[in-house]
Amino acid sequence: MKKQIMSGMILFFSFLLISCKNSVSENKGTEGAAMMRPWYSETENGVLFYGNTDRIYSYDVQTGTVQPFCGKSGCRHDTEACMSVGLAGEAPLLTSYRENLYYININENAGNENIGELSLFCVDSKGEEKELLEEVGGTDQAISSPVFFDGSMYLFQNDAEIKKDGTGIAGGKLSLCSVDLENGETEIIWTLEYKEDQMAVWCPEHTSDQYLYYWSYVVDVKTGDVSEGGWHELDMETDEIKDLELEAFMRPTAWNGRRGIFCVSDLEIPMEGQESRENFYWLADLETGEVTKLEEFGRPGPGVWLKDGFLYIDWRRDMKTGAWKFYDWKEGTSSEIVTFEPREETMFYPEVCVERDGKEMLIGRGAPDGVKGHYLISVEDFLAGGTEYELLCEVNAGNGNWAFQGSR
């Protein structure tokens, strides 16, 4: 018995990209890659918010305005016929690419085998029309953030073979594939094979220009032993793969182009023969391979890369209290910005930095004014301990995903 965890995925994308080529191929260009992500997506003009809001909202950085993402004439944005309302309940992953939005919808009512129905939609940039491109059944819900770049889509396909007696995994292969947007041709770029009672673990984390960065490893499901792990760089212009000098368990907390801030908690154990970098933040230049130790932490938290430094959460060892800290690039030291207590729901979690009127602005989730939502505050004000928050849009109070859900 063979179970195709991502079976049909490649044929699915080949078909949908041919059927939608009139709406995407006319904008052929060389702009950077776009990765589908949860919660927010940066666009040409600003940021889209989704996944935990009653509507999808579009924030325009230049004008400072927030509007429901809907271009339907006369729409009051209060029914599912509205584009922003309709998409809010079905777009956990979304990206803006070549004047269109793409999102993936997963049917979560598919039993207890973690298998659901997968659909990909295309929406015009004005939010006037959406098109269901195709549906596929029996696909893994861990879609792992498909990436668009220069006329192709890049995604992972995981084919696992189940033992005949159904007691476990007989082996399989993880593949990184590209699908041409115009003709639907599919190419397997990279593979990772695993044996009986093993499984592959992977995650695409970041794109910069033509580069895609991802990590992977193989784990023994019986012993927990890990092997064949590491970080990889895919040059999407040449489809060449380069193995990076980063341990598989190093996790990114912030990015700036081909540089990233990484950390390893002592909760995670490095593979045999690899150096332990636990409890420190590290600056890694993925172009040169240079890795520099920055600062020690208690437990790692999310971070944001700023012009003058690195803003991050430093959890205390009890994981109940902590502080926002700022690491100054010039000084090479960290200073404490604000402390917080357990279950402090008013806390603001910065997620992305944008520039407005020449100033760095932080956008994130929290309830600094007692209302859960996406807020904006200037970097200058935040670092000074200020409280001049601007509410961009509210978050569903009953949605458990309103707070920060880990590093990006």
Short mmCIF file of all heavy atoms in Angstrom, two decimals, residues 151-214:
data_model
loop_
_atom_site.label_atom_id
_atom_site.label_comp_id
_atom_site.label_asym_id
_atom_site.label_seq_id
_atom_site.Cartn_x
_atom_site.Cartn_y
_atom_site.Cartn_z
N GLY A 151 8.14 33.23 -12.82
CA GLY A 151 7.41 32.34 -13.71
C GLY A 151 7.30 30.91 -13.25
O GLY A 151 6.82 30.06 -14.01
N SER A 152 7.73 30.59 -12.03
CA SER A 152 7.64 29.22 -11.52
C SER A 152 7.13 29.20 -10.10
O SER A 152 7.25 30.18 -9.36
CB SER A 152 9.01 28.52 -11.57
OG SER A 152 9.44 28.32 -12.89
N MET A 153 6.54 28.07 -9.72
CA MET A 153 6.18 27.83 -8.33
C MET A 153 7.06 26.72 -7.78
O MET A 153 7.28 25.70 -8.44
CB MET A 153 4.71 27.43 -8.20
CG MET A 153 4.34 26.94 -6.80
SD MET A 153 2.62 26.42 -6.69
CE MET A 153 1.89 27.95 -6.15
N TYR A 154 7.56 26.93 -6.58
CA TYR A 154 8.42 25.94 -5.92
C TYR A 154 7.68 25.39 -4.70
O TYR A 154 7.14 26.14 -3.90
CB TYR A 154 9.74 26.58 -5.49
CG TYR A 154 10.60 26.99 -6.66
CD1 TYR A 154 10.36 28.17 -7.34
CD2 TYR A 154 11.65 26.18 -7.09
CE1 TYR A 154 11.14 28.55 -8.43
CE2 TYR A 154 12.44 26.55 -8.17
CZ TYR A 154 12.18 27.74 -8.84
OH TYR A 154 12.96 28.10 -9.91
N LEU A 155 7.66 24.05 -4.59
CA LEU A 155 6.96 23.42 -3.48
C LEU A 155 7.58 22.06 -3.18
O LEU A 155 8.33 21.51 -4.01
CB LEU A 155 5.48 23.24 -3.80
CG LEU A 155 5.11 22.28 -4.92
CD1 LEU A 155 3.72 21.73 -4.70
CD2 LEU A 155 5.17 22.97 -6.28
N PHE A 156 7.28 21.54 -2.01
CA PHE A 156 7.80 20.25 -1.59
C PHE A 156 6.75 19.17 -1.79
O PHE A 156 5.56 19.38 -1.55
CB PHE A 156 8.22 20.29 -0.12
CG PHE A 156 9.49 21.04 0.12
CD1 PHE A 156 9.46 22.41 0.31
CD2 PHE A 156 10.71 20.39 0.14
CE1 PHE A 156 10.63 23.12 0.52
CE2 PHE A 156 11.88 21.09 0.35
CZ PHE A 156 11.85 22.46 0.55
N GLN A 157 7.21 18.00 -2.21
CA GLN A 157 6.34 16.83 -2.38
C GLN A 157 6.92 15.72 -1.51
O GLN A 157 8.10 15.37 -1.62
CB GLN A 157 6.29 16.37 -3.83
CG GLN A 157 5.50 15.09 -4.03
CD GLN A 157 5.54 14.60 -5.47
OE1 GLN A 157 6.04 15.31 -6.33
NE2 GLN A 157 5.06 13.40 -5.71
N ASN A 158 6.10 15.18 -0.61
CA ASN A 158 6.55 14.13 0.30
C ASN A 158 5.78 12.86 0.02
O ASN A 158 4.58 12.78 0.27
CB ASN A 158 6.35 14.57 1.75
CG ASN A 158 6.99 13.61 2.73
OD1 ASN A 158 7.88 12.85 2.36
ND2 ASN A 158 6.53 13.63 3.96
N ASP A 159 6.45 11.86 -0.53
CA ASP A 159 5.83 10.57 -0.84
C ASP A 159 6.30 9.55 0.19
O ASP A 159 7.47 9.18 0.23
CB ASP A 159 6.22 10.09 -2.23
CG ASP A 159 5.71 11.02 -3.32
OD1 ASP A 159 4.63 11.58 -3.13
OD2 ASP A 159 6.41 11.19 -4.34
N ALA A 160 5.39 9.08 1.04
CA ALA A 160 5.73 8.10 2.07
C ALA A 160 5.03 6.79 1.77
O ALA A 160 3.86 6.77 1.39
CB ALA A 160 5.31 8.61 3.44
N GLU A 161 5.75 5.69 1.93
CA GLU A 161 5.19 4.37 1.71
C GLU A 161 4.88 3.73 3.05
O GLU A 161 5.74 3.66 3.94
CB GLU A 161 6.18 3.50 0.93
CG GLU A 161 5.60 2.18 0.48
CD GLU A 161 6.55 1.43 -0.44
OE1 GLU A 161 7.29 2.09 -1.18
OE2 GLU A 161 6.54 0.19 -0.40
N ILE A 162 3.64 3.27 3.22
CA ILE A 162 3.21 2.66 4.48
C ILE A 162 3.46 1.16 4.44
O ILE A 162 3.30 0.50 3.42
CB ILE A 162 1.71 2.93 4.72
CG1 ILE A 162 1.45 4.44 4.73
CG2 ILE A 162 1.25 2.31 6.04
CD1 ILE A 162 2.23 5.20 5.76
N LYS A 163 3.89 0.61 5.58
CA LYS A 163 4.10 -0.83 5.67
C LYS A 163 2.82 -1.59 5.34
O LYS A 163 1.71 -1.12 5.58
CB LYS A 163 4.56 -1.21 7.08
CG LYS A 163 5.95 -0.69 7.45
CD LYS A 163 6.31 -1.11 8.86
CE LYS A 163 7.68 -0.61 9.25
NZ LYS A 163 8.05 -1.01 10.63
N LYS A 164 2.99 -2.78 4.79
CA LYS A 164 1.83 -3.57 4.37
C LYS A 164 0.88 -3.87 5.52
O LYS A 164 -0.33 -3.96 5.33
CB LYS A 164 2.30 -4.87 3.72
CG LYS A 164 3.01 -4.66 2.39
CD LYS A 164 3.41 -5.98 1.76
CE LYS A 164 4.10 -5.75 0.41
NZ LYS A 164 4.51 -7.03 -0.21
N ASP A 165 1.44 -4.04 6.73
CA ASP A 165 0.58 -4.34 7.87
C ASP A 165 0.02 -3.08 8.51
O ASP A 165 -0.71 -3.13 9.51
CB ASP A 165 1.33 -5.16 8.92
CG ASP A 165 2.56 -4.45 9.45
OD1 ASP A 165 2.77 -3.28 9.09
OD2 ASP A 165 3.32 -5.06 10.23
N GLY A 166 0.38 -1.91 7.93
CA GLY A 166 -0.15 -0.65 8.40
C GLY A 166 0.41 -0.17 9.71
O GLY A 166 -0.14 0.72 10.34
N THR A 167 1.53 -0.74 10.16
CA THR A 167 2.08 -0.40 11.48
C THR A 167 3.08 0.74 11.47
O THR A 167 3.56 1.15 12.51
CB THR A 167 2.76 -1.64 12.09
OG1 THR A 167 3.83 -2.07 11.22
CG2 THR A 167 1.76 -2.76 12.28
N GLY A 168 3.42 1.25 10.31
CA GLY A 168 4.39 2.33 10.28
C GLY A 168 4.83 2.67 8.87
O GLY A 168 4.21 2.25 7.88
N ILE A 169 5.92 3.43 8.78
CA ILE A 169 6.42 3.90 7.50
C ILE A 169 7.46 2.93 6.96
O ILE A 169 8.40 2.54 7.66
CB ILE A 169 7.05 5.30 7.67
CG1 ILE A 169 5.97 6.28 8.17
CG2 ILE A 169 7.63 5.80 6.34
CD1 ILE A 169 6.52 7.65 8.52
N ALA A 170 7.31 2.57 5.69
CA ALA A 170 8.25 1.65 5.04
C ALA A 170 9.37 2.39 4.35
O ALA A 170 10.34 1.79 3.89
CB ALA A 170 7.51 0.77 4.03
N GLY A 171 9.27 3.69 4.27
CA GLY A 171 10.28 4.50 3.59
C GLY A 171 9.60 5.54 2.72
O GLY A 171 8.37 5.60 2.61
N GLY A 172 10.41 6.39 2.08
CA GLY A 172 9.82 7.40 1.22
C GLY A 172 10.84 8.37 0.68
O GLY A 172 12.06 8.17 0.81
N LYS A 173 10.35 9.44 0.08
CA LYS A 173 11.22 10.42 -0.55
C LYS A 173 10.58 11.80 -0.46
O LYS A 173 9.41 11.98 -0.78
CB LYS A 173 11.47 10.05 -2.01
CG LYS A 173 12.37 11.03 -2.75
CD LYS A 173 12.72 10.51 -4.14
CE LYS A 173 11.51 10.46 -5.04
NZ LYS A 173 11.86 10.08 -6.43
N LEU A 174 11.38 12.77 -0.02
CA LEU A 174 10.97 14.17 0.00
C LEU A 174 11.62 14.85 -1.20
O LEU A 174 12.82 14.71 -1.41
CB LEU A 174 11.43 14.84 1.29
CG LEU A 174 11.24 16.35 1.39
CD1 LEU A 174 9.76 16.71 1.44
CD2 LEU A 174 11.98 16.91 2.61
N SER A 175 10.83 15.58 -1.98
CA SER A 175 11.35 16.24 -3.18
C SER A 175 10.98 17.71 -3.19
O SER A 175 9.88 18.10 -2.78
CB SER A 175 10.77 15.59 -4.45
OG SER A 175 11.07 14.22 -4.51
N LEU A 176 11.91 18.54 -3.65
CA LEU A 176 11.65 19.95 -3.91
C LEU A 176 11.46 20.09 -5.42
O LEU A 176 12.34 19.71 -6.20
CB LEU A 176 12.81 20.81 -3.44
CG LEU A 176 12.76 22.31 -3.79
CD1 LEU A 176 11.48 22.95 -3.26
CD2 LEU A 176 13.99 23.02 -3.26
N CYS A 177 10.31 20.60 -5.83
CA CYS A 177 9.95 20.65 -7.24
C CYS A 177 9.66 22.08 -7.69
O CYS A 177 9.29 22.94 -6.89
CB CYS A 177 8.70 19.79 -7.50
SG CYS A 177 8.79 18.12 -6.86
N SER A 178 9.83 22.30 -8.99
CA SER A 178 9.42 23.57 -9.58
C SER A 178 8.41 23.29 -10.69
O SER A 178 8.52 22.29 -11.40
CB SER A 178 10.62 24.32 -10.16
OG SER A 178 11.16 23.64 -11.28
N VAL A 179 7.43 24.18 -10.79
CA VAL A 179 6.40 24.06 -11.83
C VAL A 179 6.39 25.35 -12.63
O VAL A 179 6.26 26.44 -12.07
CB VAL A 179 5.01 23.82 -11.21
CG1 VAL A 179 3.96 23.69 -12.32
CG2 VAL A 179 5.00 22.60 -10.32
N ASP A 180 6.57 25.25 -13.93
CA ASP A 180 6.58 26.42 -14.80
C ASP A 180 5.17 27.00 -14.90
O ASP A 180 4.21 26.29 -15.17
CB ASP A 180 7.09 26.03 -16.19
CG ASP A 180 7.34 27.25 -17.07
OD1 ASP A 180 6.35 27.80 -17.61
OD2 ASP A 180 8.50 27.65 -17.21
N LEU A 181 5.05 28.30 -14.69
CA LEU A 181 3.73 28.93 -14.68
C LEU A 181 3.06 28.96 -16.04
O LEU A 181 1.84 29.04 -16.14
CB LEU A 181 3.85 30.36 -14.16
CG LEU A 181 4.30 30.55 -12.70
CD1 LEU A 181 4.31 32.03 -12.36
CD2 LEU A 181 3.42 29.80 -11.74
N GLU A 182 3.84 28.93 -17.12
CA GLU A 182 3.25 29.07 -18.46
C GLU A 182 2.87 27.73 -19.07
O GLU A 182 1.80 27.59 -19.64
CB GLU A 182 4.21 29.82 -19.38
CG GLU A 182 4.38 31.28 -19.01
CD GLU A 182 5.11 32.06 -20.09
OE1 GLU A 182 5.45 31.45 -21.13
OE2 GLU A 182 5.35 33.26 -19.91
N ASN A 183 3.76 26.74 -18.95
CA ASN A 183 3.47 25.48 -19.64
C ASN A 183 3.20 24.31 -18.69
O ASN A 183 2.90 23.21 -19.14
CB ASN A 183 4.62 25.09 -20.58
CG ASN A 183 5.95 25.01 -19.88
OD1 ASN A 183 6.04 24.61 -18.73
ND2 ASN A 183 7.02 25.41 -20.58
N GLY A 184 3.30 24.54 -17.39
CA GLY A 184 2.99 23.49 -16.43
C GLY A 184 4.05 22.42 -16.28
O GLY A 184 3.84 21.45 -15.56
N GLU A 185 5.19 22.57 -16.95
CA GLU A 185 6.24 21.55 -16.85
C GLU A 185 6.80 21.50 -15.43
O GLU A 185 7.03 22.53 -14.80
CB GLU A 185 7.36 21.83 -17.84
CG GLU A 185 6.97 21.63 -19.28
CD GLU A 185 8.12 21.85 -20.24
OE1 GLU A 185 9.24 22.11 -19.75
OE2 GLU A 185 7.91 21.74 -21.46
N THR A 186 7.02 20.27 -14.95
CA THR A 186 7.48 20.06 -13.59
C THR A 186 8.88 19.47 -13.58
O THR A 186 9.20 18.60 -14.39
CB THR A 186 6.53 19.09 -12.85
OG1 THR A 186 5.22 19.67 -12.80
CG2 THR A 186 7.01 18.82 -11.44
N GLU A 187 9.70 19.97 -12.66
CA GLU A 187 11.07 19.47 -12.53
C GLU A 187 11.37 19.21 -11.07
O GLU A 187 11.09 20.04 -10.21
CB GLU A 187 12.07 20.49 -13.09
CG GLU A 187 13.52 20.05 -12.96
CD GLU A 187 14.49 21.11 -13.43
OE1 GLU A 187 14.03 22.17 -13.89
OE2 GLU A 187 15.71 20.88 -13.32
N ILE A 188 11.94 18.03 -10.78
CA ILE A 188 12.39 17.71 -9.43
C ILE A 188 13.82 18.21 -9.29
O ILE A 188 14.71 17.79 -10.01
CB ILE A 188 12.30 16.20 -9.15
CG1 ILE A 188 10.85 15.74 -9.19
CG2 ILE A 188 12.93 15.88 -7.79
CD1 ILE A 188 10.66 14.26 -8.96
N ILE A 189 14.03 19.11 -8.33
CA ILE A 189 15.32 19.77 -8.17
C ILE A 189 16.18 19.09 -7.13
O ILE A 189 17.41 19.01 -7.27
CB ILE A 189 15.10 21.25 -7.78
CG1 ILE A 189 14.29 21.96 -8.85
CG2 ILE A 189 16.43 21.97 -7.56
CD1 ILE A 189 13.83 23.33 -8.42
N TRP A 190 15.56 18.60 -6.07
CA TRP A 190 16.30 18.06 -4.93
C TRP A 190 15.48 16.97 -4.27
O TRP A 190 14.25 17.05 -4.24
CB TRP A 190 16.56 19.21 -3.96
CG TRP A 190 17.16 18.86 -2.63
CD1 TRP A 190 18.48 18.78 -2.31
CD2 TRP A 190 16.45 18.59 -1.41
NE1 TRP A 190 18.64 18.48 -0.97
CE2 TRP A 190 17.40 18.37 -0.39
CE3 TRP A 190 15.09 18.53 -1.07
CZ2 TRP A 190 17.05 18.07 0.92
CZ3 TRP A 190 14.74 18.24 0.24
CH2 TRP A 190 15.71 18.02 1.21
N THR A 191 16.13 15.92 -3.79
CA THR A 191 15.43 14.83 -3.11
C THR A 191 16.15 14.44 -1.83
O THR A 191 17.38 14.58 -1.72
CB THR A 191 15.29 13.58 -4.00
OG1 THR A 191 16.60 13.13 -4.37
CG2 THR A 191 14.48 13.88 -5.24
N LEU A 192 15.40 13.93 -0.88
CA LEU A 192 15.92 13.39 0.37
C LEU A 192 15.18 12.09 0.63
O LEU A 192 13.98 12.10 0.89
CB LEU A 192 15.71 14.38 1.52
CG LEU A 192 16.12 13.91 2.92
CD1 LEU A 192 17.62 13.66 2.98
CD2 LEU A 192 15.70 14.93 3.97
N GLU A 193 15.89 10.97 0.55
CA GLU A 193 15.25 9.66 0.74
C GLU A 193 15.40 9.21 2.19
O GLU A 193 16.39 9.50 2.85
CB GLU A 193 15.87 8.63 -0.21
CG GLU A 193 15.61 8.93 -1.68
CD GLU A 193 16.10 7.83 -2.60
OE1 GLU A 193 16.64 6.82 -2.07
OE2 GLU A 193 15.95 7.97 -3.82
N TYR A 194 14.39 8.52 2.67
CA TYR A 194 14.43 7.97 4.03
C TYR A 194 13.94 6.53 4.01
O TYR A 194 13.23 6.10 3.10
CB TYR A 194 13.63 8.83 5.00
CG TYR A 194 12.24 9.20 4.55
CD1 TYR A 194 11.13 8.48 4.96
CD2 TYR A 194 12.03 10.31 3.72
CE1 TYR A 194 9.85 8.84 4.56
CE2 TYR A 194 10.76 10.68 3.32
CZ TYR A 194 9.67 9.94 3.74
OH TYR A 194 8.41 10.29 3.35
N LYS A 195 14.35 5.77 5.04
CA LYS A 195 14.13 4.33 5.06
C LYS A 195 13.01 3.94 6.02
O LYS A 195 12.28 4.79 6.54
CB LYS A 195 15.44 3.63 5.46
CG LYS A 195 16.60 3.94 4.52
CD LYS A 195 17.89 3.30 5.02
CE LYS A 195 19.06 3.68 4.11
NZ LYS A 195 20.34 3.10 4.61
N GLU A 196 12.90 2.64 6.28
CA GLU A 196 11.86 2.11 7.14
C GLU A 196 11.94 2.74 8.53
O GLU A 196 13.01 2.92 9.10
CB GLU A 196 12.01 0.60 7.26
CG GLU A 196 10.93 -0.07 8.10
CD GLU A 196 11.06 -1.58 8.11
OE1 GLU A 196 11.66 -2.12 7.18
OE2 GLU A 196 10.54 -2.20 9.05
N ASP A 197 10.77 3.10 9.06
CA ASP A 197 10.63 3.71 10.38
C ASP A 197 11.34 5.06 10.48
O ASP A 197 11.73 5.49 11.57
CB ASP A 197 11.14 2.77 11.48
CG ASP A 197 10.27 1.53 11.62
OD1 ASP A 197 9.05 1.65 11.42
OD2 ASP A 197 10.82 0.45 11.92
N GLN A 198 11.49 5.74 9.35
CA GLN A 198 12.02 7.09 9.32
C GLN A 198 11.00 8.02 8.68
O GLN A 198 10.09 7.57 7.98
CB GLN A 198 13.33 7.16 8.53
CG GLN A 198 14.50 6.45 9.17
CD GLN A 198 15.77 6.63 8.37
OE1 GLN A 198 15.73 6.79 7.14
NE2 GLN A 198 16.91 6.60 9.04
N MET A 199 11.16 9.29 8.93
CA MET A 199 10.32 10.28 8.26
C MET A 199 11.14 11.54 8.04
O MET A 199 12.11 11.81 8.75
CB MET A 199 9.08 10.60 9.09
CG MET A 199 9.35 11.23 10.43
SD MET A 199 7.83 11.58 11.37
CE MET A 199 7.11 12.86 10.35
N ALA A 200 10.75 12.31 7.03
CA ALA A 200 11.44 13.56 6.70
C ALA A 200 10.73 14.72 7.38
O ALA A 200 9.50 14.76 7.47
CB ALA A 200 11.47 13.77 5.20
N VAL A 201 11.53 15.66 7.88
CA VAL A 201 11.02 16.89 8.47
C VAL A 201 11.67 18.04 7.73
O VAL A 201 12.88 18.03 7.51
CB VAL A 201 11.35 16.98 9.98
CG1 VAL A 201 10.75 18.24 10.58
CG2 VAL A 201 10.84 15.74 10.70
N TRP A 202 10.88 19.04 7.33
CA TRP A 202 11.43 20.13 6.52
C TRP A 202 10.61 21.39 6.69
O TRP A 202 9.46 21.34 7.15
CB TRP A 202 11.45 19.73 5.04
CG TRP A 202 10.09 19.78 4.39
CD1 TRP A 202 9.56 20.80 3.64
CD2 TRP A 202 9.06 18.78 4.46
NE1 TRP A 202 8.28 20.49 3.23
CE2 TRP A 202 7.95 19.26 3.71
CE3 TRP A 202 8.98 17.53 5.06
CZ2 TRP A 202 6.79 18.52 3.57
CZ3 TRP A 202 7.81 16.80 4.92
CH2 TRP A 202 6.73 17.30 4.18
N CYS A 203 11.19 22.52 6.29
CA CYS A 203 10.44 23.76 6.32
C CYS A 203 11.14 24.82 5.49
O CYS A 203 12.30 25.14 5.76
CB CYS A 203 10.29 24.27 7.75
SG CYS A 203 9.27 25.77 7.88
N PRO A 204 10.49 25.39 4.47
CA PRO A 204 11.02 26.58 3.80
C PRO A 204 10.82 27.78 4.71
O PRO A 204 9.73 27.98 5.24
CB PRO A 204 10.17 26.68 2.53
CG PRO A 204 8.88 26.00 2.89
CD PRO A 204 9.21 24.95 3.89
N GLU A 205 11.86 28.58 4.93
CA GLU A 205 11.80 29.64 5.91
C GLU A 205 11.84 31.05 5.33
O GLU A 205 11.26 31.97 5.89
CB GLU A 205 12.97 29.50 6.90
CG GLU A 205 12.88 28.28 7.80
CD GLU A 205 11.98 28.51 9.00
OE1 GLU A 205 11.32 29.57 9.06
OE2 GLU A 205 11.94 27.64 9.88
N HIS A 206 12.54 31.24 4.18
CA HIS A 206 12.79 32.62 3.76
C HIS A 206 13.17 32.66 2.29
O HIS A 206 13.74 31.71 1.75
CB HIS A 206 13.94 33.18 4.61
CG HIS A 206 14.36 34.57 4.23
ND1 HIS A 206 13.54 35.67 4.39
CD2 HIS A 206 15.53 35.04 3.71
CE1 HIS A 206 14.17 36.75 3.99
NE2 HIS A 206 15.38 36.42 3.57
N THR A 207 12.83 33.79 1.64
CA THR A 207 13.30 34.05 0.28
C THR A 207 13.93 35.43 0.24
O THR A 207 13.49 36.34 0.94
CB THR A 207 12.15 33.99 -0.75
OG1 THR A 207 11.17 34.99 -0.42
CG2 THR A 207 11.50 32.62 -0.78
N SER A 208 14.97 35.57 -0.59
CA SER A 208 15.60 36.87 -0.82
C SER A 208 16.11 36.88 -2.25
O SER A 208 16.90 36.01 -2.64
CB SER A 208 16.77 37.08 0.15
OG SER A 208 17.43 38.31 -0.13
N ASP A 209 15.63 37.85 -3.03
CA ASP A 209 15.96 37.89 -4.46
C ASP A 209 15.61 36.55 -5.08
O ASP A 209 14.48 36.13 -4.99
CB ASP A 209 17.43 38.26 -4.66
CG ASP A 209 17.75 39.64 -4.13
OD1 ASP A 209 16.88 40.52 -4.24
OD2 ASP A 209 18.85 39.85 -3.58
N GLN A 210 16.60 35.84 -5.66
CA GLN A 210 16.31 34.56 -6.30
C GLN A 210 16.60 33.36 -5.39
O GLN A 210 16.58 32.22 -5.84
CB GLN A 210 17.11 34.39 -7.59
CG GLN A 210 18.60 34.04 -7.40
CD GLN A 210 19.48 35.26 -7.44
OE1 GLN A 210 19.06 36.35 -7.06
NE2 GLN A 210 20.69 35.07 -7.93
N TYR A 211 16.84 33.60 -4.10
CA TYR A 211 17.26 32.53 -3.21
C TYR A 211 16.13 32.08 -2.28
O TYR A 211 15.40 32.91 -1.71
CB TYR A 211 18.47 32.97 -2.38
CG TYR A 211 19.67 33.31 -3.23
CD1 TYR A 211 19.98 34.64 -3.50
CD2 TYR A 211 20.45 32.30 -3.78
CE1 TYR A 211 21.06 34.96 -4.30
CE2 TYR A 211 21.54 32.61 -4.58
CZ TYR A 211 21.85 33.95 -4.84
OH TYR A 211 22.92 34.27 -5.64
N LEU A 212 16.00 30.76 -2.13
CA LEU A 212 15.07 30.14 -1.20
C LEU A 212 15.88 29.39 -0.15
O LEU A 212 16.75 28.59 -0.49
CB LEU A 212 14.13 29.18 -1.93
CG LEU A 212 13.32 28.20 -1.07
CD1 LEU A 212 12.37 28.96 -0.14
CD2 LEU A 212 12.55 27.22 -1.95
N TYR A 213 15.58 29.66 1.13
CA TYR A 213 16.29 29.01 2.22
C TYR A 213 15.35 28.07 2.96
O TYR A 213 14.24 28.45 3.34
CB TYR A 213 16.86 30.06 3.17
CG TYR A 213 17.93 30.91 2.52
CD1 TYR A 213 17.62 32.16 1.99
CD2 TYR A 213 19.23 30.43 2.39
CE1 TYR A 213 18.60 32.92 1.37
CE2 TYR A 213 20.21 31.19 1.76
CZ TYR A 213 19.88 32.43 1.26
OH TYR A 213 20.86 33.18 0.63
N TYR A 214 15.82 26.83 3.18
CA TYR A 214 15.00 25.84 3.87
C TYR A 214 15.91 24.89 4.64
O TYR A 214 17.11 24.79 4.38
CB TYR A 214 14.13 25.05 2.88
CG TYR A 214 14.90 24.17 1.91
CD1 TYR A 214 15.05 22.81 2.15
CD2 TYR A 214 15.46 24.70 0.75
CE1 TYR A 214 15.74 22.00 1.26
CE2 TYR A 214 16.15 23.89 -0.15
CZ TYR A 214 16.29 22.55 0.12
OH TYR A 214 16.98 21.75 -0.76
#
